[in-house]
Amino acid sequence: MSERDDIEETALPAVLVRRSDLPVPLAHPARSFFGGLPKLPPHLDWPVAEVRADEALEIVALTFVAQIDLAEVPGTGWSPLPPRGTLYFFCSSVFVGEGHPPCRVLYSPAHGGAYADRAPPPNLMPLAGTNGDRQVRWLNPDLDLHSKVEFKYPISFLPFRDFYFHQDAVGGELMIKELCKALGPGEPPENDLLQFRSVTTYEKDEDWPFNWLLVTHVVRSVLSYVQRDLKFGYFGKPLADEATVELKRLRTSAIGWLERCRALTPMDDVDPNTKATFRSWWIDVVRAYERMDGQVRTYAGEIVDDLGNAINHTIRCMATSDVDAPDEAPLSYVANLERQNLWTTPSVEDGQRRHFRTAIHQMLGYGSGPQDATEEHLEDMLLLQIQGDPAFFNWHSDIGGVLHFWIDRDALAQRDFSHVVATYECD
């Protein structure tokens, strides 16, 4: 028997989980979705657990990750999943140093649209945890819903065959063939136009800021760095007088922009003169941080990266306010955000490593990961795999990270989801 035949014999039916390119309003009628708010039956409580972030332990309500209406999942005749009912996935969104994040999966025999959205509990953990390393500092948990609740993305399902192999060219070829059969040949790879962008490029780009919400997010980002640097200095080294003066100047100007934002409607356009003035202010901030390099904790590159994040976050906020709202944002930015979800033509190396430029989310089959979770749980069933995806703002946006939910086969047969375990791996 050839190697190809050996790998073919390992084939298992599985299901690809595909999200929408842009998020939708919370009121969208999807019954299967990532993020948003779960449509929990009244008798099911929002799960809580003890979570560690920044060394401190806290008992918090877990991050809601996904809701899946099983009637929408293909697999009649072969799937071990219940043919109907709804699964609700909750997990800690703190992954730093956590290979087995606390999780809970709840099951209801009702369909995914049977109940109203459950309001988030007051002790819902901020995404990435209180003071967590991956938290977005310029989102305020008291003001911003999406500092605790992920954007809502409707999901759809496509059957495919999964294979068991590791670093194998033949297995990779079979994997690519199956993925392309389900997803199509893919689109040419294109770089994210907001990633690794230079200050000079942003300075010449007249498309931003395109509304006052973006101005607010960018100013908050700057202010969060300035306040941190004024408080903590440079890793125990006292701030030089010159740096203190510079930081206080930046803080005063940032507060002035925030006060201006509060008097305006977030989604309103910014006039051309104000756009130019704001870009000049932002450039001044970046140059000031370049001059303070080695004197404060923040690098100028962090300010630049946050601008790209703020642009994407603002477009997502626009999409959740109205499905047509992204039409008011620059087309290149919207297309760039949508493209991050498009299936990209895989290379031979992608297949061999089981690591693709497009996030592969799936149910059942073997799943994939950069370490050994798939081997350790070979006898279990893969309820859900969520690969790092730009859809998950910061806490799980790294394409090299993989979150799995595993269940014992006997427990699944008995519809007992009380002992599902989660694993998180990152390359």
Side-chain angles (χ1 to χ4, degrees):
M1 184 179 290
S2 68
E3 179 185 359
R4 182 177 298 272
D5 291 334
D6 286 341
I7 295 177
E8 282 277 9
E9 281 200 348
T10 71
L12 287 178
V15 177
L16 292 172
V17 180
R18 297 291 294 156
R19 67 169 174 88
S20 61
D21 296 337
L22 291 177
V24 296
L26 290 177
H28 188 281
R31 298 185 351 189
S32 299
F33 48 89
F34 287 145
L37 295 171
K39 298 179 181 295
L40 279 176
H43 68 278
L44 293 179
D45 293 329
W46 192 301
V48 299
E50 192 173 61
V51 172
R52 182 184 297 277
D54 194 29
E55 302 304 320
L57 279 171
E58 52 184 337
I59 297 177
V60 293
L62 294 173
T63 298
F64 170 64
V65 176
Q67 172 179 312
I68 294 178
D69 186 327
L70 294 167
E72 297 183 336
V73 180
T76 302
W78 60 263
S79 173
L81 297 170
R84 62 186 61 84
T86 305
L87 292 177
Y88 307 89
F89 294 82
F90 298 82
C91 191
S92 167
S93 54
V94 176
F95 293 155
V96 176
E98 181 63 85
H100 292 83
C103 79
R104 283 291 305 280
V105 175
L106 306 179
Y107 171 71
S108 166
H111 67 76
Y115 302 98
D117 289 348
R118 176 71 62 86
N123 63 336
L124 179 60
M125 67 184 298
L127 295 173
T130 304
N131 297 320
D133 290 349
R134 302 294 291 176
Q135 193 180 83
V136 180
R137 307 293 178 185
W138 43 270
L139 290 180
N140 184 339
D142 296 324
L143 300 174
D144 301 291
L145 175 70
H146 294 297
S147 67
K148 294 184 175 182
V149 176
E150 262 300 350
F151 290 102
K152 181 178 182 178
Y153 291 86
I155 53 180
S156 56
F157 306 93
L158 296 166
F160 81 112
R161 290 194 309 157
D162 197 4
F163 302 96
Y164 185 68
F165 68 91
H166 297 279
Q167 298 288 327
D168 186 277
V170 174
E173 180 186 341
L174 291 171
M175 187 79 175
I176 287 175
K177 180 180 178 181
E178 286 298 318
L179 289 173
C180 289
K181 182 179 177 181
L183 299 169
E187 307 216 355
E190 291 188 62
N191 292 328
D192 180 346
L193 68 84
L194 297 180
Q195 194 173 27
F196 309 119
R197 230 183 182 198
S198 69
V199 180
T200 304
T201 303
Y202 275 125
E203 186 175 17
K204 295 177 180 178
D205 184 351
E206 298 181 358
D207 281 338
W208 72 280
F210 45 84
N211 62 25
W212 285 97
L213 182 61
L214 176 56
V215 174
T216 300
H217 288 148
V218 173
V219 176
R220 279 195 197 168
S221 165
V222 170
L223 194 56
S224 69
Y225 286 121
V226 169
Q227 291 175 328
R228 182 187 70 173
D229 292 332
L230 280 168
K231 182 177 181 180
F232 295 109
Y234 185 67
F235 300 101
K237 177 182 175 182
L239 276 174
D241 291 342
E242 297 83 357
T244 300
V245 170
E246 188 75 315
L247 289 170
K248 287 182 176 180
R249 179 182 72 85
L250 297 180
R251 181 177 63 184
T252 298
S253 62
I255 290 173
W257 276 107
L258 277 185
E259 290 174 349
R260 187 171 180 180
C261 289
R262 292 190 188 103
L264 296 163
T265 303
M267 296 296 180
D268 279 357
D269 293 339
V270 182
D271 67 82
N273 288 337
T274 305
K275 275 187 174 185
T277 302
F278 184 76
R279 285 196 301 273
S280 295
W281 172 79
W282 182 83
I283 294 297
D284 175 60
V285 170
V286 176
R287 299 305 182 200
Y289 266 98
E290 289 175 345
R291 293 191 297 272
M292 292 187 291
D293 184 42
Q295 302 177 57
V296 295
R297 295 187 179 207
T298 302
Y299 297 100
E302 294 177 81
I303 306 289
V304 179
D305 289 344
D306 263 13
L307 175 53
N309 289 332
I311 288 172
N312 285 338
H313 186 74
T314 300
I315 294 172
R316 292 184 180 111
C317 289
M318 295 169 73
T320 60
S321 67
D322 187 301
V323 291
D324 295 324
D327 293 342
E328 303 301 317
L331 177 61
S332 63
Y333 292 157
V334 178
N336 179 68
L337 187 55
E338 292 177 327
R339 189 172 63 241
Q340 293 172 26
N341 186 48
L342 303 184
W343 170 238
T344 301
T345 304
S347 69
V348 172
E349 183 183 2
D350 293 337
Q352 182 171 326
R353 295 174 55 235
R354 296 182 65 109
H355 184 81
F356 301 91
R357 283 164 290 208
T358 307
I360 299 296
H361 314 306
Q362 74 179 75
M363 303 180 74
L364 306 175
Y366 297 100
S368 58
Q371 296 169 29
D372 53 10
T374 55
E375 294 178 67
E376 291 179 358
H377 291 273
L378 197 57
E379 299 303 316
D380 294 326
M381 298 299 298
L382 177 59
L383 272 184
L384 181 63
Q385 169 181 295
I386 304 179
Q387 190 173 342
D389 188 322
F392 302 110
F393 196 48
N394 264 37
W395 67 276
H396 193 34
S397 60
D398 181 0
I399 196 72
V402 184
L403 175 64
H404 300 108
F405 293 86
W406 306 97
I407 187 171
D408 177 83
R409 293 171 185 266
D410 291 336
L412 179 57
Q414 297 166 21
R415 308 302 187 241
D416 178 6
F417 295 88
S418 61
H419 297 293
V420 171
V421 297
T423 57
Y424 177 75
E425 301 180 329
C426 189
D427 59 10

